[in-house]
């Protein structure tokens, strides 16, 4: 990224000579303290310097800076480097940068360096002075984390969670635990959607069959109810975040490997183009980029069907969701960068996210009257362990309430919230602090899969609901809990979202929902 930054400066001729990492000396006014090292960054207030003692952060108001890399303190221009997912960097982040600029009376100008690098310059509308430069390196999630660990990126765009080895390397580099609430956040939601050409007669596919197709175990459309023709397969780049999420979520539950001969595509939209050109093609694409292709509904042997729609993705009822993460290291960013990150959580940013074709994070209320099919499925699928009395108790408890689109799920075999749910905790905590649910009743409801005794499943679901409540209360530091009636309950396996005959179905059923009145 350092070379890209220098190239962008040269191309724009904005600030003369490029500011690359160089030696500087910071000296106290009395000359008693002197720190020498390589300038890693300056946020307008603090210097970040690599010294023989390690990385130090020094208050700029208390030192004098000498050396060719010393910034102009009077006309400081913040520099923020963003690297990672092409899906996020091509559309979503640019739209948010422009929305942020408009909201703060900046003029945003975009300049392209090459196919993978561009820069946004923000200038103050009143003075026409440059305020910030946002450098973008659009590639893959893998490269984003590599740039972060190499100190060449301030923010990572990721279509998957950070891997354990990346998390450890970031910790070793002094960037903190990248899974902490302040180090990662879900910016928006996408989903992995199986797509076919409009002329293909197949309308649905089970997650198990989808995995078997991409493993090479199902090779003819006739097996899926289509024509007697070979299936041609298309996927995103294996190093892209979406491609890795497909490996984890589609192939992972069945422990299957990809078949040979799958056509991989570097650009997200190319999967859709290839499927549209071939009536016998099957691909998996981003929900936001399905274009004119036709999406397949995910179904199961027990009759459940889940279609990728804005509502089912937002509630995570659709099982192949793909959260779009921002990862930020444990170091001080320039003020304008902190303001931009705060903006991305606000209501106006959620509108921008929706207009860009992605699923936003703003909680919505779904009336119980719009969920009759779920309760009908609960009655139909009720086994001998789910009694009529329990179904009646659930219905009476939830009657007159609305479900929030914010849901919580857990790491396998654990009461620890998964990455998206940890971000949901922060989102709901902020809403509580802002008083959005004052004088209202909020019920956290735990549900489970049907694997094991019903009583034990209800106990597990209740513990997860209680753990979710504790996490929300802990995160909502300034909330007055006397103004919100927050309670927990659990109904175990009484309201399944999917069949329990597969790993993905059981995962969909293990959740905590939020209901309000």
């Amino acid at each position: 990224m350092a070379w890209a930054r220098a190239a962008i400066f040269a191309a724009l001729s904005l600030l003369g000579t490029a500011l690359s990492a160089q030696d500087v000396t910071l000296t106290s006014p009395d000359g008693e303290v002197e720190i020498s090292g390589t300038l890693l960054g300056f946020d307008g207030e603090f210097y970040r310097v690599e010294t023989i003692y390690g990385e130090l952060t020094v208050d700029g108001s208390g030192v004098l800076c000498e050396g060719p890399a010393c910034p102009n303190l009077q006309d400081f221009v913040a520099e923020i480097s963003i690297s990672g997912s092409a899906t996020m960097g091509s559309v979503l982040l640019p739209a948010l940068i422009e929305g942020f600029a408009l909201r703060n009376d900046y003029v945003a100008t975009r300049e392209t360096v090459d196919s993978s690098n561009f820069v946004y310059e923000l200038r103050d509308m009143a003075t026409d002075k440059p305020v910030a430069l946002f450098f973008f390196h659009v590639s893959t999630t893998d490269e984003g984390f590599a740039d972060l660990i190499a100190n060449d990126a301030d923010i990572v765009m990721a279509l998957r969670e950070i891997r354990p080895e990346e998390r450890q390397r970031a910790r070793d580099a002094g960037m903190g635990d990248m899974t902490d609430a302040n180090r990662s956040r879900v910016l928006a939601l996408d989903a992995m959607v199986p797509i076919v050409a409009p002329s293909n007669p197949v309308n649905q596919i089970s997650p198990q069959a989808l995995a078997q197709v991409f493993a090479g175990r199902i090779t003819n459309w006739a097996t899926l109810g289509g024509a007697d023709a070979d299936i041609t397969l298309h996927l995103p780049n294996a190093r892209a975040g979406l491609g890795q999420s497909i490996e984890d979520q589609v192939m992972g539950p069945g422990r299957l490997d990809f078949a040979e001969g799958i056509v991989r595509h570097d650009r997200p939209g190319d999967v859709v183009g290839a499927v549209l050109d071939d009536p016998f093609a099957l691909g998996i694409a981003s929900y936001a980029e399905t274009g004119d292709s036709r999406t397949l509904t995910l179904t199961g042997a027990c009759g459940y069907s889940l279609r990728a729609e804005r509502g089912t993705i937002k509630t995570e009822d659709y099982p192949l969701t793909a959260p779009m993460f921002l990862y930020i290291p444990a170091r001080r960013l320039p003020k304008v960068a902190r303001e931009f990150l705060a903006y991305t959580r606000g209501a106006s940013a959620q509108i921008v996210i929706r207009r860009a074709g992605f699923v936003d994070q703003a909680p919505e209320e779904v009336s119980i009257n719009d969920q009759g099919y779920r309760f009908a499925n609960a009655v139909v699928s009720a086994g001998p362990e789910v009694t009529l009395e329990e179904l009646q108790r659930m219905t009476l408890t939830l009657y007159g309430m609305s479900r929030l689109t914010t849901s919580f799920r857990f790491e396998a075999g654990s009461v620890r919230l998964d990455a998206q749910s940890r971000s949901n905790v922060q989102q709901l905590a902020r809403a509580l602090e802002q008083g959005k649910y004052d004088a209202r009743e909020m019920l956290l409801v735990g549900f489970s899969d049907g694997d094991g005794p019903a009583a034990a499943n209800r106990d597990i679901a209740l513990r997860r609901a209680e753990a979710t409540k504790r996490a929300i209360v802990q995160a909502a530091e300034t909330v007055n809990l006397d103004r919100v009636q927050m309670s927990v309950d659990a109904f175990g396996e009484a309201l399944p979202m999917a069949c329990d005959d597969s790993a993905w179905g059981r995962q969909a059923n293990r959740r905590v929902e939020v209901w309000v009145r």
Side-chain angles (χ1 to χ4, degrees):
M1 282 291 288
W3 65 267
R5 188 177 305 157
I8 291 169
F9 270 111
L12 295 178
S13 301
L14 290 173
L15 299 175
T17 305
L19 177 61
S20 57
Q22 299 180 47
D23 288 341
V24 295
T25 299
L26 305 178
T27 309
S28 62
D30 60 8
E32 293 296 319
V33 178
E34 185 176 281
I35 300 172
S36 296
T38 300
L39 182 65
L40 298 177
F42 178 70
D43 66 5
E45 300 170 283
F46 287 80
Y47 295 96
R48 191 162 55 89
V49 183
E50 183 66 45
T51 73
I52 59 174
Y53 306 106
E55 184 177 316
L56 300 179
T57 300
V58 182
D59 188 343
S61 64
V63 295
L64 303 175
C65 184
E66 296 181 359
C70 290
N72 184 334
L73 300 184
Q74 185 172 359
D75 295 315
F76 170 71
V77 178
E79 299 175 37
I80 304 97
S81 297
I82 304 175
S83 179
S85 163
T87 299
M88 298 175 66
S90 298
V91 178
L92 181 56
L93 266 295
L96 288 169
I97 290 286
E98 293 177 8
F100 170 71
L102 186 64
R103 186 175 180 83
N104 290 276
D105 295 326
Y106 298 140
V107 176
T109 304
R110 174 172 171 162
E111 293 288 344
T112 299
V113 177
D114 54 39
S115 60
S116 299
N117 294 279
F118 59 91
V119 64
Y120 269 98
E121 181 198 29
L122 302 189
R123 301 182 78 91
D124 186 283
M125 193 177 293
T127 65
D128 197 38
K129 289 185 177 181
V131 175
L133 292 167
F134 284 83
F135 300 95
F136 280 85
H137 179 51
V138 175
S139 53
T140 66
T141 297
D142 278 359
E143 287 196 34
F145 283 121
D147 284 342
L148 177 76
I149 294 166
N151 251 326
D152 287 334
D154 300 307
I155 300 172
V156 176
M157 304 173 290
L159 274 182
R160 61 164 173 80
E161 292 186 51
I162 190 169
R163 304 286 195 205
E165 61 273 15
E166 295 165 334
R167 177 185 178 187
Q168 186 59 51
R169 288 200 296 270
R171 191 195 295 269
D172 292 342
M175 297 178 179
D177 185 349
M178 301 298 286
T179 65
D180 284 349
N182 294 328
R183 306 276 71 80
S184 69
R185 65 178 63 176
V186 176
L187 180 65
L189 296 176
D190 201 354
M192 295 159 277
V193 184
I195 59 170
V196 296
S199 60
N200 194 312
V202 175
N203 295 309
Q204 61 187 26
I205 189 171
S206 72
Q208 298 95 318
L210 184 65
Q212 289 171 353
V213 168
F214 281 95
R217 298 187 180 184
I218 296 176
T219 59
N220 193 291
W221 278 110
T223 308
L224 304 174
D228 182 12
D230 291 339
I231 305 172
T232 54
L233 302 175
H234 298 268
L235 287 176
N237 188 320
R239 295 184 64 242
L242 190 65
Q244 293 169 337
S245 292
I246 292 169
E247 182 177 4
D248 292 343
Q249 296 190 46
V250 176
M251 311 300 285
R255 299 181 180 179
L256 297 175
D257 296 322
F258 286 114
E260 295 182 1
I262 298 175
V263 181
R264 296 282 187 168
H265 300 271
D266 290 332
R267 292 184 297 182
D270 288 349
V271 174
V272 177
V275 168
L276 290 174
D277 289 340
D278 182 355
F280 302 118
L282 173 65
I284 300 180
S286 159
Y287 167 77
E289 296 173 324
T290 53
D292 294 328
S293 65
R294 189 162 52 77
T295 63
L296 299 184
T297 300
L298 294 182
T299 188
C302 59
Y304 288 98
S305 61
L306 292 167
R307 187 174 182 83
E309 297 172 339
R310 182 171 173 271
T312 59
I313 294 171
K314 199 165 190 177
T315 58
E316 300 179 67
D317 293 342
Y318 182 76
L320 300 180
T321 55
M324 311 181 87
F325 293 96
L326 291 182
Y327 282 89
I328 306 105
R331 61 173 179 245
R332 187 181 176 92
L333 294 178
K335 181 181 178 183
V336 68
R338 302 196 300 271
E339 291 173 344
F340 170 69
L341 291 172
Y343 162 80
T344 62
R345 292 186 183 271
S348 59
Q350 305 312 306
I351 296 172
V352 172
I353 290 168
R354 288 198 296 270
R355 288 178 176 172
F358 300 95
V359 178
D360 64 279
Q361 292 282 277
E364 299 175 29
E365 296 184 19
V366 184
S367 168
I368 194 171
N369 295 330
D370 296 327
Q371 303 176 67
Y373 73 96
R374 297 179 67 205
F375 288 83
N377 283 336
V379 174
V380 171
S381 63
E385 291 189 303
V386 179
T387 65
L388 175 61
E389 289 77 11
E390 183 69 354
L391 290 175
Q392 290 175 332
R393 186 178 78 85
M394 178 180 70
T395 303
L396 289 172
T397 300
L398 302 179
Y399 185 77
M401 304 187 80
S402 297
R403 180 191 176 189
L404 285 190
T405 51
T406 303
S407 299
F408 300 91
R409 284 184 166 80
F410 300 81
E411 295 178 350
S414 170
V415 294
R416 184 175 189 256
L417 293 162
D418 65 18
Q420 181 172 337
S421 296
R422 293 195 295 272
S423 184
N424 289 347
V425 164
Q426 300 299 317
Q427 173 199 92
L428 190 55
R430 287 193 306 276
L432 288 167
E433 289 176 329
Q434 294 164 5
K436 291 184 178 180
Y437 299 102
D438 282 0
R440 299 189 69 182
E441 178 184 351
M442 177 176 289
L443 179 64
L444 303 176
V445 186
F447 295 98
S448 71
D449 59 37
D451 190 16
N457 287 336
R458 184 187 178 278
D459 288 343
I460 293 172
L462 184 61
R463 290 202 299 272
R464 285 174 170 163
E466 291 169 341
T468 303
K469 179 184 176 182
R470 287 195 298 272
I472 294 169
V473 170
Q474 184 177 1
E477 297 178 356
T478 63
V479 70
N480 183 348
L481 291 176
D482 293 333
R483 297 179 179 177
V484 183
Q485 182 183 341
M486 186 184 297
S487 57
V488 300
D489 206 335
F491 302 104
E493 58 195 73
L495 192 61
M497 291 301 307
C499 308
D500 271 329
D501 60 355
S502 66
W504 79 268
R506 291 189 291 273
Q507 174 63 20
N509 290 333
R510 295 190 293 264
R511 67 200 185 278
V512 172
E513 297 179 358
V514 185
W515 290 71
V516 293
R517 181 182 356 242

